[in-house]
Amino acid sequence: MEIATVVDLGRGALWAVMIIASPLLVVALGIGLFIGVIQAATSINEMTLSFIPKLITMGVALALFGGWQLSMLVDYTRDIYKRIPALFS
């Protein structure tokens, strides 16, 4: 197996992880920032006040984007399996 092939496989894996995880990370960042601003404005420092809305919105985001994320992961896995014979020839 050549170095270029390994680098290409690694780059593809990192790209797939970034694309698959980005919707949930963006939602968590947005709601965390919003709750942080609300807490700073009201001087309420309750930890569950930031955790519960994040948990709920992450569940909603996973319900919305979960099917898409799973199909992206399945497509990537199929692509890797298709490339296996060419890796060792």
Side-chain angles (χ1 to χ4, degrees):
M1 198 163 28
E2 296 180 12
I3 293 175
T5 306
V6 173
V7 170
D8 186 45
L9 286 172
R11 185 179 332 128
L14 289 175
W15 183 253
V17 167
M18 187 178 77
I19 293 297
I20 291 170
S22 62
L24 294 178
L25 292 176
V26 168
V27 168
L29 176 69
I31 197 70
L33 185 64
F34 177 73
I35 297 297
V37 168
I38 296 295
Q39 281 183 332
T42 59
S43 298
I44 298 174
N45 291 326
E46 181 64 34
M47 291 303 294
T48 58
L49 188 62
S50 64
F51 180 73
I52 300 299
K54 275 188 200 177
L55 186 66
I56 292 169
T57 55
M58 292 294 283
V60 170
L62 192 58
L64 291 175
F65 295 112
W68 174 79
Q69 289 172 321
L70 187 61
S71 69
M72 290 288 290
L73 188 60
V74 167
D75 291 342
Y76 177 73
T77 305
R78 284 184 183 154
D79 184 47
I80 291 295
Y81 281 140
K82 286 179 186 175
R83 292 176 67 170
I84 286 176
L87 291 177
F88 300 106
S89 60

